Coordinates of all heavy atoms in Angstrom, one line a residue:
H126 N 9.4 0.6 0.1 CA 8.7 1.0 1.3 C 9.0 0.0 2.5 O 8.5 0.3 3.6 CB 7.2 1.0 1.1 CG 6.8 1.9 -0.1 ND1 6.8 3.2 0.0 CD2 6.5 1.6 -1.3 CE1 6.5 3.8 -1.1 NE2 6.3 2.8 -2.0
D127 N 9.7 -1.1 2.3 CA 10.0 -2.0 3.4 C 11.4 -2.6 3.2 O 12.1 -2.2 2.3 CB 8.9 -3.1 3.4 CG 8.7 -3.9 2.2 OD1 9.7 -4.0 1.4 OD2 7.6 -4.3 1.9
S128 N 11.7 -3.6 4.0 CA 13.1 -4.1 4.0 C 13.3 -5.2 2.9 O 14.5 -5.6 2.8 CB 13.3 -4.8 5.4 OG 12.5 -5.9 5.6
I129 N 12.3 -5.6 2.2 CA 12.5 -6.7 1.2 C 13.7 -6.4 0.2 O 14.6 -7.2 0.1 CB 11.2 -7.0 0.5 CG1 10.2 -7.6 1.5 CG2 11.5 -8.0 -0.6 CD1 8.8 -7.8 1.0
V130 N 13.6 -5.2 -0.5 CA 14.6 -4.9 -1.5 C 15.9 -4.6 -0.8 O 17.0 -5.0 -1.3 CB 14.2 -3.8 -2.4 CG1 15.3 -3.5 -3.4 CG2 12.9 -4.1 -3.1
Y131 N 15.9 -4.0 0.4 CA 17.1 -3.7 1.1 C 17.8 -5.0 1.5 O 19.0 -5.2 1.4 CB 16.8 -3.0 2.4 CG 16.6 -1.5 2.2 CD1 15.3 -0.9 2.0 CD2 17.7 -0.6 2.3 CE1 15.2 0.4 1.8 CE2 17.5 0.7 2.2 CZ 16.3 1.3 1.9 OH 16.1 2.6 1.7
N132 N 17.0 -6.0 1.9 CA 17.6 -7.3 2.2 C 18.2 -8.0 1.0 O 19.3 -8.6 1.1 CB 16.5 -8.3 2.8 CG 16.0 -7.9 4.1 OD1 16.7 -7.2 4.9 ND2 14.9 -8.3 4.5
T133 N 17.6 -7.8 -0.2 CA 18.1 -8.4 -1.4 C 19.5 -7.8 -1.7 O 20.5 -8.5 -2.0 CB 17.2 -8.1 -2.6 OG1 15.9 -8.8 -2.3 CG2 17.8 -8.7 -3.9
I134 N 19.6 -6.5 -1.6 CA 20.9 -5.8 -2.0 C 21.9 -6.0 -0.9 O 23.1 -6.2 -1.2 CB 20.7 -4.3 -2.4 CG1 21.9 -3.9 -3.1 CG2 20.4 -3.5 -1.2 CD1 21.6 -2.9 -4.2
L135 N 21.5 -6.1 0.4 CA 22.4 -6.4 1.5 C 23.0 -7.8 1.3 O 24.2 -8.0 1.5 CB 21.8 -6.2 2.8 CG 21.6 -4.8 3.4 CD1 20.8 -4.8 4.7 CD2 23.0 -4.2 3.7
D136 N 22.1 -8.7 1.0 CA 22.6 -10.1 0.8 C 23.6 -10.2 -0.4 O 24.6 -10.8 -0.3 CB 21.4 -11.0 0.6 CG 21.8 -12.5 0.6 OD1 22.5 -12.9 1.6 OD2 21.4 -13.2 -0.3
G137 N 23.2 -9.5 -1.5 CA 24.1 -9.4 -2.6 C 25.5 -8.8 -2.3 O 26.5 -9.3 -2.7
C138 N 25.4 -7.7 -1.5 CA 26.7 -7.1 -1.1 C 27.5 -8.1 -0.2 O 28.8 -8.1 -0.4 CB 26.4 -5.8 -0.2 SG 25.8 -4.4 -1.2
T139 N 26.9 -8.8 0.7 CA 27.6 -9.7 1.5 C 28.2 -10.9 0.7 O 29.3 -11.2 0.9 CB 26.6 -10.3 2.6 OG1 26.1 -9.2 3.4 CG2 27.3 -11.3 3.5
R140 N 27.4 -11.5 -0.2 CA 27.9 -12.6 -1.0 C 29.0 -12.2 -1.9 O 29.9 -13.0 -2.2 CB 26.7 -13.1 -1.9 CG 25.7 -13.9 -1.1 CD 24.5 -14.3 -2.0 NE 23.4 -14.8 -1.3 CZ 23.3 -16.1 -1.0 NH1 24.2 -16.9 -1.4 NH2 22.2 -16.5 -0.3
N141 N 29.0 -10.9 -2.4 CA 30.0 -10.4 -3.3 C 31.1 -9.6 -2.7 O 31.8 -8.9 -3.3 CB 29.3 -9.6 -4.4 CG 28.5 -10.6 -5.3 OD1 29.0 -11.3 -6.1 ND2 27.2 -10.5 -5.2
H142 N 31.1 -9.6 -1.3 CA 32.1 -8.9 -0.5 C 32.2 -7.4 -0.9 O 33.3 -6.8 -1.0 CB 33.5 -9.5 -0.7 CG 33.5 -11.0 -0.3 ND1 33.6 -11.3 1.0 CD2 33.4 -12.1 -1.0 CE1 33.6 -12.7 1.1 NE2 33.4 -13.1 -0.1

Side-chain angles (χ1 to χ4, degrees):
H126 304 286
D127 58 30
S128 65
I129 295 171
V130 181
Y131 279 92
N132 290 339
T133 300
I134 198 146
L135 280 172
D136 190 52
C138 289
T139 300
R140 290 175 188 270
N141 292 287
H142 302 279

